Amino acid sequence: MSPPIAPVGWSRWLVPPAALSIHLSIGQAYAWSVFKPPLEDALGLSGTQSALPFQLGIVMLGLSAAFGGTLVERRGPRWAMTVALVCFSSGFLLSALGAATGQFWLIVFGYGFVGGIGLGIGYISPVSTLIKWFPDRPGMATGIAIMGFGGGALIASPWSAQMLESFGSDTSGIALAFLVHGLSYAVFMLLGVLLVRVPRPRTEERQTGHTTAAGGPRVSARQALRTPQFWLLWVVLCTNVTAGIGILEKAAPMISDFFADTSAPVSATAAAGFVALLSAANMAGRIGWSSTSDLIGRKNIYRVYLGAGVLMYALIALVGSSSKPLFVLCALVILSFYGGGFATIPAYLKDLFGTYQVGAIHGRLLTAWSTAGVLGPLIVNWIADRQEEAGKHGAELYGTSLLIMMALLAVGFVANELVRPVHPSHHLDAVPAQKGASDVRQQQSESA
């Protein structure tokens, strides 16, 4: 499947909707917490166990993005979107079978492993293409697309809750909900497959008067792994994601627990609405904060994400349980930073490494997301389970987790401060010259 080249006169503004159709679909992953309570009741699972499909999905997202990044660069966005469609939809169909037969391992395999591959390939499928179409505004362009991933739960959360209410929250109802998801998302993702285009070659762009290429450093994906900048950004992304995903995965049960002992407890419907609000903040942060990064710079915007994030967690830990509006507001800000971090990182990579293999570099960096996808839910769920066993309840279940998140954000803040421009010795045109000089020195040593 060769990459479809845009015809003369093709509007670059048709590419973001193609990307959005993919990201809005795979963004359903952020609505997983809606399925947690029904699965726990129907299959007798703990909070830690019910998080496994989501955790494995995020792990596979990072791994498939890392290993598939080079293929996406080589074969183009249409191939990648097709693979994402097949895997993501198949994951739901396998999960439906697992729920219908009461086999939780099949839900973990389908949603987590197979669907997770679709998450990873689908997530990076439009990034490189968008940056090439919008070299003048990379933060805004990637923000528009990745906004869809954050906003997917805004649609999926109430939709899933309504299906579970209509179909029932037993295994057959859950299975039917999974089946409807798989078929519906397949149709919607197909729109992106058919619509996406790549820019015309630069020589043709000059003739048509429209240029999409940009200058800057040219660093290969392999060479990027040898730079400290890559690993510093890995730490930055991992800590920011861990801090946000821990709340997001546990959102519905968490707000219920925080206010369970108050005069105004949170109902299941209101908890699902809270998940939708978080999704809206996640989505708004992806376009809003990433567009702001085009104005104030990537390092400065990450100072906001990580520094202000510590303050938001501190407020939740200290006074969150005494004020529902404050709890919701702080959580919304944290999730906006979480989403903004995802949308800004491709532009940060473009600034440091150039557009040459930015998609492949981005894919490798998403292994930080895989790590965070395990750490965030594990920290929150495991500690909450242990605290519950110790006889604690309500907001007490999450105090330790909030402190850990604050510490992680502080580590990410320091890592961001250490980021510097990539040394020219890592640029593509410098590597062959270095290799040649090394060969000459080796020959001189041997002759001596």
Side-chain angles (χ1 to χ4, degrees):
M1 184 179 296
S2 59
I5 298 176
V8 176
W10 178 268
S11 173
R12 63 179 182 170
W13 291 101
L14 293 174
V15 180
L20 273 173
S21 72
I22 301 297
H23 276 241
L24 280 171
S25 299
I26 63 178
Q28 183 280 334
Y30 283 143
W32 177 252
S33 64
V34 175
F35 284 101
K36 281 172 63 68
L39 283 171
E40 290 168 14
D41 293 338
L43 299 178
L45 307 174
S46 67
T48 302
Q49 289 174 322
S50 66
L52 286 175
F54 176 82
Q55 287 178 290
L56 181 57
I58 299 301
V59 169
M60 293 309 301
L61 185 157
L63 294 178
S64 60
F67 289 104
T70 303
L71 281 175
V72 172
E73 290 280 358
R74 184 183 307 139
R75 299 191 179 183
R78 177 168 288 180
W79 173 86
M81 290 178 177
T82 302
V83 171
L85 184 160
V86 172
C87 291
F88 189 67
S89 296
S90 297
F92 269 112
L93 300 183
L94 288 170
S95 297
L97 179 61
T101 58
Q103 300 295 316
F104 181 62
W105 70 268
L106 192 54
I107 298 176
V108 175
F109 175 76
Y111 189 92
F113 185 82
V114 179
I117 295 174
L119 287 177
I121 299 299
Y123 189 87
I124 64 173
S125 62
V127 170
S128 177
T129 303
L130 282 166
I131 289 177
K132 291 172 183 175
W133 274 111
F134 294 88
D136 51 332
R137 286 177 282 181
M140 181 213 68
T142 55
I144 290 175
I146 295 177
M147 172 184 69
F149 193 88
L154 186 62
I155 300 171
S157 180
W159 184 39
S160 300
Q162 182 60 48
M163 276 194 284
L164 290 171
E165 184 177 338
S166 301
F167 301 151
S169 57
D170 57 358
T171 53
S172 61
I174 297 170
L176 187 54
F178 282 151
L179 177 64
V180 173
H181 275 75
L183 297 178
S184 300
Y185 284 131
V187 174
F188 193 60
M189 293 172 77
L190 184 61
L191 298 176
V193 173
L194 298 176
L195 187 60
V196 73
R197 298 289 188 277
V198 297
R200 301 180 68 78
R202 293 186 64 183
T203 53
E204 296 182 49
E205 289 167 1
R206 293 192 192 101
Q207 294 172 3
T208 58
H210 180 66
T211 302
T212 58
R218 296 179 75 241
V219 182
S220 68
R222 178 178 297 181
Q223 195 67 21
L225 293 176
R226 301 174 182 175
T227 66
Q229 287 83 357
F230 177 88
W231 296 106
L232 287 170
L233 288 187
W234 193 97
V235 173
V236 167
L237 183 63
C238 184
T239 54
N240 192 55
V241 172
T242 301
I245 208 169
I247 283 184
L248 193 58
E249 188 274 338
K250 189 79 169 177
M254 181 181 284
I255 192 171
S256 298
D257 290 336
F258 253 80
F259 300 97
D261 299 328
T262 67
S263 59
V266 178
S267 66
T269 302
F274 176 62
V275 175
L277 278 177
L278 291 181
S279 178
N282 188 355
M283 179 175 63
R286 290 172 187 245
I287 182 61
W289 292 121
S290 61
S291 296
T292 303
S293 77
D294 287 334
L295 302 175
I296 69 174
R298 321 301 171 196
K299 177 176 282 192
N300 286 332
I301 203 69
Y302 269 98
R303 286 169 173 153
V304 174
Y305 299 156
L306 301 163
V310 173
L311 177 61
M312 294 299 105
Y313 266 110
L315 288 173
I316 291 177
L318 294 174
V319 294
S321 59
S322 62
S323 174
K324 195 178 296 182
L326 180 63
F327 177 91
V328 172
L329 178 62
C330 290
L332 291 177
V333 173
I334 290 171
L335 264 294
S336 77
F337 292 159
Y338 169 81
F342 275 120
T344 308
I345 205 69
Y348 210 160
L349 292 172
K350 179 258 182 187
D351 293 344
L352 292 170
F353 302 107
T355 60
Y356 173 60
Q357 287 191 337
V358 67
I361 297 171
H362 184 225
R364 285 159 172 78
L365 192 76
L366 290 182
T367 53
W369 193 357
S370 295
T371 304
V374 173
L375 286 179
L378 182 62
I379 290 170
V380 175
N381 285 291
W382 187 82
I383 292 177
D385 288 345
R386 300 292 80 75
Q387 297 286 59
E388 189 173 9
E389 291 173 0
K392 296 184 179 180
H393 55 86
E396 295 177 333
L397 300 175
Y398 304 99
T400 304
S401 301
L402 297 176
L403 292 176
I404 293 174
M405 298 306 179
M406 291 167 62
L408 288 172
L409 287 172
V411 171
F413 188 92
V414 173
N416 182 55
E417 292 301 306
L418 296 175
V419 173
R420 299 290 184 272
V422 175
H423 194 274
S425 62
H426 294 290
H427 294 187
L428 195 64
D429 53 353
V431 174
Q434 285 183 336
K435 185 177 184 299
S438 176
D439 293 341
V440 170
R441 285 195 297 270
Q442 182 177 355
Q443 292 173 3
Q444 290 174 343
S445 175
E446 290 175 352
S447 62

